[in-house]
Amino acid sequence: MSTVISTDVLIVGAGVAGLWLNARLRRLGYSTVLVERASVGGGQTLKSQGIIHGGAKYALHGALTGASEAIADMPRRWREALAGSGELDLSGVRLLSEAHYLWSPGTLAGNLTSFFASKAVRGRVDQVKGDQLPPALQDRGFKGKVYRLAELVVDVPSLLQRLAELGGDSLLAGEKIEPLREDDDLVGLRVDGREIRAQRVVLSAGAGTADLLADLGLNQPAMQRRPLHMVLAKGPSLKPLYAHCLGGGPKPRITVTTHPAADGQWVWYLGGDIAEADGVAREPDAQIAAAKKEVASLLPWVDLSQVQWATLRVDRAEPAQSGLVRPDNAFLADQQRLLVGWPTKLALAPDFADRVLHALDRDGIKPGNCPALPDLPKPPLAQPEWERLLP
């Protein structure tokens, strides 16, 4: 006999977008159910670098863009949440770095130097030297320039754990997800035989959203995938580094974040230009060789002799854009009771929640008097990829 559940909002996908939205809604008094087919955060979220971007990375050609302005307020909102005084209480989430950095191995181009000193980025970018440098760059051999960004880097596993805690009894592990219709109108979903009725259904399942739309007989909004071939390194010689290395183009030459492994060592997680384009086309051994060469060139004082290496392929799922360009904002589209979206970046999870809340307010959807949820099977928390790839 199937179980019938009534809730205000039914969310599918327990990545950072679904989890953040779920916690916001619950704090505002809405009843929710959050369904996850696999593990909490196991898609794109745990494969992200944990950087809460403020837009400086999108200004590397020497001017602010729509993308940099759209994301500019995210670090403040995350900092308030991490302090326990924001829209969510994320106190207890581990902060890996109070700042992210821009690092030039040589002389910055003139337009960048003047841009970083301009009013446009004042308060976002400050040059640092000496013992203010990231530990990995505090070497006599380092001759470049370093700029401190008003951004931060969070420990994604502890973030997921806290967001799951805020979800309380609303999280549901469910594999078979089917539309629940009355008179051809979507009124909810059937999840492993449980009938879940909701005022609104939100799809925030990242790459899984395309399949969910197909199951609902829909092909819009369209989704694009932008692949990455990330590199991981772990070893006793690696010191904390959270920085974009500037190259000659509009994208960072390499982006390094540093994460704690269970055995007490540090893991470098390498993205940026090396993980895109040519990096995607390379086989893992060739990608590792390219990363070793890049690190040895940029940081020749780092002993790589005992470092373990691995690669990780990541598919960034986003709303389809002309030319596969990166969207500037979180995205949300609605079709009657169905809301479909992607946050497009970890940092934009609050923006995604804003868009859903705006849609609920526009349609007059208020918290109802839904009965308490039964005891539901919970999805497991995903484990960091470096624990699997670099044991």
Side-chain angles (χ1 to χ4, degrees):
M1 187 175 184
S2 66
T3 302
V4 179
I5 296 172
S6 293
T7 191
D8 293 324
V9 182
L10 172 56
I11 306 165
V12 182
V16 69
L19 288 163
W20 191 289
L21 171 63
N22 189 49
R24 284 280 305 275
L25 289 170
R26 286 170 60 86
R27 191 167 190 178
L28 293 170
Y30 289 89
S31 64
T32 63
V33 175
L34 173 56
V35 181
E36 173 55 49
R37 275 176 164 166
S39 57
V40 173
Q44 285 179 247
T45 300
L46 204 56
K47 297 179 178 69
S48 74
Q49 292 187 280
I51 306 166
I52 308 305
H53 292 288
K57 140 177 177 173
Y58 306 130
L60 297 186
H61 62 297
L64 289 174
T65 65
S68 64
E69 290 301 277
I71 204 171
D73 197 38
M74 291 301 114
R76 177 193 63 80
R77 292 177 65 176
W78 279 81
R79 286 185 191 280
E80 289 177 356
L82 291 165
S85 59
E87 59 212 60
L88 297 180
D89 180 1
L90 298 184
S91 56
V93 172
R94 182 174 182 177
L95 187 61
L96 294 177
S97 180
E98 286 280 357
H100 201 66
Y101 295 84
L102 287 172
W103 136 56
S104 169
T107 303
L108 280 174
N111 65 326
L112 274 179
T113 303
S114 59
F115 176 65
F116 288 153
S118 71
K119 290 181 180 179
V121 294
R122 193 167 295 165
R124 295 194 199 186
V125 180
D126 297 297
Q127 188 173 358
V128 296
K129 300 178 181 179
D131 59 6
Q132 294 182 323
L133 293 172
L137 301 180
Q138 291 183 18
D139 187 274
R140 292 180 182 179
F142 179 67
K143 305 298 182 184
K145 290 185 178 182
V146 178
Y147 291 82
R148 186 183 193 273
L149 305 180
E151 301 180 349
L152 60 154
V153 187
V154 298
D155 178 58
V156 177
S158 69
L159 170 66
L160 290 170
Q161 183 175 358
R162 177 57 181 156
L163 288 172
E165 289 172 0
L166 293 176
D169 61 358
S170 67
L171 271 64
L172 168 62
E175 292 185 10
K176 190 174 183 180
I177 301 173
E178 304 167 289
L180 180 64
R181 300 185 188 277
E182 285 184 356
D183 300 325
D184 291 330
D185 292 329
L186 185 73
V187 296
L189 298 174
R190 187 173 285 106
V191 180
D192 291 347
R194 292 179 179 83
E195 190 175 291
I196 307 178
R197 293 172 171 265
Q199 296 189 74
R200 290 293 181 270
V201 176
V202 181
L203 302 187
S204 62
T209 294
D211 289 338
L212 287 167
L213 285 171
D215 292 342
L216 294 171
L218 302 171
N219 57 14
Q220 293 294 327
M223 187 183 82
Q224 69 184 28
R225 295 172 184 261
R226 289 195 301 130
L228 294 172
H229 196 182
M230 305 289 285
V231 180
L232 301 99
K234 183 173 82 168
S237 61
L238 303 184
K239 296 179 181 179
L241 179 59
Y242 303 90
H244 303 298
C245 179
L246 300 175
K251 294 182 180 179
R253 180 171 169 181
I254 193 170
T255 295
V256 184
T257 52
T258 311
H259 306 266
D263 62 5
Q265 295 190 72
W266 289 111
V267 174
W268 278 3
Y269 194 26
L270 311 179
D273 200 41
I274 193 173
E276 303 189 33
D278 293 343
V280 171
R282 295 187 190 108
E283 293 299 317
D285 286 348
Q287 179 70 338
I288 288 171
K292 286 181 178 179
K293 183 178 179 180
E294 187 78 324
V295 172
S297 171
L298 296 171
L299 306 163
W301 53 87
V302 177
D303 180 5
L304 301 179
S305 61
Q306 297 182 57
V307 172
Q308 295 175 264
W309 298 84
T311 69
L312 176 65
R313 292 192 180 273
V314 182
D315 260 343
R316 291 169 295 182
E318 301 163 343
Q321 307 283 297
S322 176
L324 286 179
V325 298
R326 172 185 44 76
D328 287 347
N329 307 297
F331 172 88
L332 188 72
D334 58 337
Q335 302 177 39
Q336 298 179 335
R337 291 198 185 202
L338 183 66
L339 304 173
V340 185
W342 294 267
T344 73
K345 296 193 76 64
L346 179 86
L348 286 165
D351 182 39
F352 178 79
D354 288 349
R355 291 166 189 271
V356 175
L357 288 167
H358 174 76
L360 297 181
D361 184 63
R362 178 200 64 201
D363 295 341
I365 305 298
K366 305 296 183 184
N369 295 311
C370 296
L373 292 173
D375 188 22
L376 300 173
K378 307 299 181 193
L381 281 172
Q383 296 302 306
E385 291 291 339
W386 47 84
E387 302 298 350
R388 177 177 66 86
L389 296 170
L390 297 172

